[in-house]
Amino acid sequence: MKPEETFEQEREDLYQTDEEDEESQAGSSVPSTPLSRNGSNNDPVSWPRSYRQSMDMLTGVTPPMRTSFVSSFHRRRQSSVSGSFTSSTSKQQLLIDKDKDEIQNNVVTSIKSFLASHLNLSVPEDLSFPQETRSCTFSQSVLNGINVLCGVALLTMPYAVKEGGWLGLFILFSFGVITFYTGILLKRCLENSPGIHTYPDIGQAAFGTTGRILVSILLYVELYASCVEYIIMMSDNLSGMFPNTSLYISGLSLDSKQVFAITTTLIVLPTVWLRDLSLLSYLSAGGVFSSILLALCLFWAGSVGGVGFHLTGKALDIANLPVAIGIYGFGFGSHSVFPNIYSSMKEPSKFPLVLLISFAFCTLFYIAVAVCGYTMFGDAIQSQFTLNIPQHFTSSKIAAWTAVVTPMTKYALTITPVVLSLEELIPSSSRKMRSKGVSMLFRSVLVLSTLVVALTVPFFATVAALIGSFIAMLIALIFPCLCYMSIMKGRLSNSQMGICIFIVIIGVATCATFSFLEEDLHLLGGSAYNIDKEKHHSLLLRLFVGFRYKKKMKQEEQEREDLYHTDDDEDEESQAHSSVPSTPLSRNDSNNDAVSWPQSYRQSMDLLTGVTPPISTNLVSSFRKRRQSSAFGSFASSSSKQSLLIDKDETQNSVVTSIKSFIDSHLKLSVPDDLSIPQENRKCTISQSVINGVNVLCGGALLTMPYALKEGGWLGLLILFSFGVITLYTGILLKRCLENSPGIHTYPDIGQAAFGTTGRILLSIFLYMDLYATCVEYIIMMSDNMSGMFPNTSLYIAGISLNSNQVFAVTTTLIVLPTVWLRDLSLLSYISAGGVFSSILLALCLFWVGSVGGVGFQLQGQVLDLTNLPVAIGIYGFGFGGHAVLPNIYSSMKEPSKFPLVLLMSFGFCTLFYIAISVCGYTMFGEAIQSQFTLNMPQHFTSSKIAVWTAVITPMTKYPLTLTPVLLSLEELLPSSSRKMRSKGVSMLIRTILVLSTLVVALTVPFFATVAALIGSFVAMLIAVIFPCLCYLKIMKGRLTNFHMAICVLIIIVGVVSGVCGTYSAIVRLIGEMT
């Protein structure tokens, strides 16, 4: 690896998988451990190299017994500095490699390379640091074993008794004994082949690369099929609780199972994008307890609920016995992870006892649930016993929801090994193909493919029987014996050989039932489930079209986000500890005072506004520059990297302080006092600043300008022009405030400089209210335009009927929700820069429909409508409420003296653009103009479709950027002393609740123009008109001429009058529309 390459990429290349460690050892003349008896020590490890870590993550779900979840997370955060030099997957590793010293040597080598190449430090030869031990105790290993065995097969065990009869339970017991024995065989394979740790390793040791690949494919097919079962299981149980649910969209009718299959897939999709699945692995550990809970709910319904137990059924049903055999096999097909559990144990000699306890518990548990369920419901038993429990019982609700939530937590963990193995096949030479954006797209396609399969064959028991008969028999019976006989060739007794051959014969005979199951599947698909194929293909087509989008994320380690969670204000705190003086933010406060809430404002608003890439470069080169700066950027927060404002000296001091602290405390090295690092120049040119200004001004208000003209009349355009001039002037006042108060950079800083902490907090609240309300408008805007394209869409669920607007409001919120969870919004900020061009595109589409499309332009309407003029005033004000980010744009400029010119060009363009759109839209549609002109454009025009989709996609990209400042400000209020409250799980919960609250508001007041008028009259008047003048008067007190003071007072009066009248009219209209 070349020294000039980024340290972050070195970590990815060195620690992507465990076998790559062995390759690096080979490169350093350290002999590698042989993985294949047929290959040389120098042979590279075959695909899949990610198996070990991904399966460790799937199985190593049991936290240490002596610690709580909180302390466990606390330890992970404490170790994040040293852990940042390893990959995210390796941190989840259940298996503790015997070659610990060699792995540590690789890590230390990376650190030495970084310190030498990037910091020019001499590093002692004996540099080392401790590693965290993650060996599992005996009790943890038992829980891990039970957790991977006792899964969804439990639900269908009573159905298997119905299919095979009571004597089929002997087959269940026999499978428990046989699979226990084959698990012992895997242990013997591991012991007799040094250096192997996983099931694919055993396949390679036995049959070379071919064996490894064949075993791996079967293991991944089983995991993929399990994810399909999860979707079927969730949709079946939800449709059982809400049987009358249906969705009708554009001539396509979906029943309850299909609706919930799609819904649950959308819910689990974001979890598959996550790189750190530690929280899910903890939740998934509850699989053992959820299985016990399901059994208790079943027994409660039978004994206390009054269902009772009645001995019925056949002793043996030969015709359906193959189905029962397949289901029983499905319950014991977890051998893929037993080698991982064995390798993770502190006392590997006790592994047979672990297997004995795990298999004994699961076998007896399966038999108990099978007997209980079948004696309760007899031949009426369904594929999952939760579907038979009477819905009016509380226990049935608990069981059904448990059967829904459990697979939600396990889905991502189960699909991740498949995803990682397929991503290995992407050429390593292609940076673009290995980017996170492509990875997210790839994962989305894989998840949607499981949905397609689940919709095609939604038969839980039959699919389970198919998996058990074919894949599980190969994995749990046949291959363990074949591998054992190959590895131990010449060392086995005749009795051992005879037992293995006998088990192989049983497995092969069971696999033969595949033909029976294929026939059953055909019959079920043809009769019991009459599915309209045409409707199905239409559904699948829409699914694929609806999810074809790409998201690009920069490469960044999760632990860095934990350490540097919000912004460079944490760096300012470290500077304070190192006696670096902070810059005063308030003229009324001393230099030593802490910055008041919100501290995250600057970076979050920079991310929202600094969306314009350098004009002379393209996106690829821009991303490359950011990757090249990752070595020293890793010590700064993720948000600060997106900072539009660059305060070079302050930022460099804070970064250097962080590096010094890390090297001194963790590496015990002496650091020279003159340590410094270069910084990337991110100052904005005039053209970039103008685009930033236009982008934040010209937003959703553009769509409703023709409606405002209808409300206020033609003379209202003079008010629009006046607001453009006034807000231009107040923008210049903000610049003067920044110039006359050293050390301030943002609008809240100006409020603090003028009125102290009270001014800062009050102004911040109004700014965040504006952003929150804008997000509400985005949801209304998306739902209105989507329902305009698909007006006949409806959804009926549990007695609740949703119209098209409500359906699309919910749908678009679910789509944008995962983007709000992201910590890195860099790609969205680039896409959002297209807001300027999307506004121009909307205007061109409108003009095209009017001129070329034949709609025409007719001069009509009132000269002035005093009754509705306040509403028009509010909408006009809504179009100029971008003052929250003007200080950020000013601070980012390479030539701040030209900021007035930037404002003149931005406000001049937007004002004239608003007037042109208003005139064009109103003369086209007259009094019929709706709250958004896209709703009036004839749908059969291509230009109309372009305009509508632009009005849908643009707010999707802006929503997370707009809401992020609000989220970060709220997260600041969490107690810093509580690790639990500041965990990522709590952060995701807060973000989800806030997003859902915008949905609730949008559903409550789905009136785009009226809400825009309310925002413009109340919030925008305060932010864009009144507060700039008040702050300017306060900061410049005693230094203003009477003329300047008179202008400011006049603007304040205009703002107060417009705000009061407009707010009152908007509220009255809102009440009227709601009633």
Side-chain angles (χ1 to χ4, degrees), residues 157-159 298 308-309 367-378 381 385 388:
M157 285 299 166
Y159 182 82
L298 177 66
F309 305 96
I367 293 174
V369 170
V371 172
C372 184
Y374 188 56
T375 54
M376 285 174 60
F377 306 111
I381 189 71
F385 65 73
N388 286 89

Side-chain angles (χ1 to χ4, degrees), residues 437 549-553 607-608 610-613 619 623 695 819 825-838 950 953-958 960-961:
Y549 65 94
K550 288 188 178 182
K551 297 179 181 177
K552 188 89 170 174
M553 299 166 60
L607 184 62
L608 174 61
V611 296
T612 308
L619 289 180
F623 275 116
N695 190 66
T819 63
L825 301 178
S826 55
L827 179 61
L828 285 179
S829 67
Y830 277 91
I831 297 175
S832 179
V836 181
F837 308 106
S838 63
T950 302
I953 295 174
T954 301
M956 281 187 182
T957 62
K958 288 192 172 184
L961 294 168

